[in-house]
Amino acid sequence: MKKIAALPLNKQRDTTCPKVFGVSLLELQQQGLSKNGIPIVVWNIVEYLTQHGMTQEGLFRVNGSMKMVEQLRLQYERGEEVELVKDGDVYSAASLLKLFLRELPDGIITSALHPKFIQLYQDTRNDMQKESNLKELLKELPDAHYCLLKYLCQFLIKVAEHHVENRMNLCNLATVFGPN
């Protein structure tokens, strides 16, 4: 069961800053909150985790401190400079990334294309045909979604390369990120 709590009035978000969580990828691009098609918050977290979290056991499975995740989220929402090395830790940064992805209004794989991806997965044709169909289907994603998906896949492959230390092989990563 999710806990729902209102922030005290003095801690509620500043409406002059553009929202970062819970907005579309296109909106983030239009607000200048993306770098090379990647939301800055995602880019910051991935860079931090690449440098500091690749060998952390349970990366993406161990939850970070809810308090710290919320503090980091608020810093991003207020447009503040966030230094994850100083202000966060590996597990909280990983939890923040999952939160960002979970709150995307249409997900990385858009709701319109989601059934097509499921159908392709369930398709019994040969792998060469599936690969060709997957490439065609990926071309249908909006640019911002494709860029983020590609970036995350490249990062998660790097995470999986350290599976002996972090215990996060491709199957475990799919279990964590699939729903998002």
Side-chain angles (χ1 to χ4, degrees):
M1 185 171 190
K2 288 185 177 180
K3 290 184 180 179
I4 300 174
L7 293 171
L9 287 176
N10 62 348
K11 297 241 181 184
Q12 289 188 0
R13 78 181 292 299
D14 181 357
T15 54
T16 59
C17 290
K19 196 171 179 206
V20 176
F21 287 76
V23 299
S24 74
L25 295 173
L26 181 61
E27 228 177 299
L28 290 172
Q29 276 186 331
Q30 291 169 343
Q31 294 172 357
L33 296 174
S34 291
K35 180 195 263 188
N36 299 324
I38 310 303
I40 292 170
V41 61
V42 172
W43 192 87
N44 288 345
I45 294 168
V46 167
E47 289 300 306
Y48 171 75
L49 292 175
T50 299
Q51 292 174 15
H52 302 280
M54 297 303 246
T55 59
Q56 290 287 128
E57 188 171 338
L59 180 64
F60 296 116
R61 284 194 116 157
V62 174
N63 291 322
S65 154
M66 283 180 55
K67 184 178 180 182
M68 186 176 292
V69 170
E70 189 56 29
Q71 286 173 342
L72 292 169
R73 175 192 176 131
L74 286 172
Q75 284 181 269
Y76 278 108
E77 292 284 2
R78 290 191 294 249
E80 296 174 8
E81 185 74 26
V82 179
E83 292 182 53
L84 291 169
V85 172
K86 188 179 75 172
D87 301 329
D89 63 57
V90 168
Y91 297 118
S92 296
S95 293
L96 190 66
L97 177 61
K98 292 187 299 184
L99 177 66
F100 176 85
L101 297 174
R102 198 169 39 249
E103 290 192 357
L104 284 173
D106 201 20
I108 299 175
I109 304 292
T110 62
S111 55
L113 290 176
H114 195 262
K116 291 181 180 181
F117 276 92
I118 297 295
Q119 183 181 13
L120 180 63
Y121 173 74
Q122 294 171 341
D123 194 345
T124 57
R125 281 184 263 182
N126 68 39
D127 288 343
M128 296 266 294
Q129 183 64 44
K130 270 185 163 178
E131 184 178 333
S132 174
N133 290 349
L134 178 60
K135 286 179 181 177
E136 290 304 310
L137 196 51
L138 288 170
K139 289 178 184 175
E140 293 183 40
L141 283 172
D143 288 343
H145 293 250
Y146 177 79
C147 284
L148 180 56
L149 179 63
K150 181 179 175 183
Y151 183 73
L152 282 175
C153 286
Q154 290 169 340
F155 168 64
L156 294 175
I157 287 169
K158 290 178 193 172
V159 171
E161 288 171 356
H162 292 87
H163 71 91
V164 172
E165 299 96 352
N166 64 30
R167 306 276 191 243
M168 294 303 290
N169 60 29
L170 289 175
C171 185
N172 290 340
L173 289 167
T175 300
V176 171
F177 284 91
N180 294 322

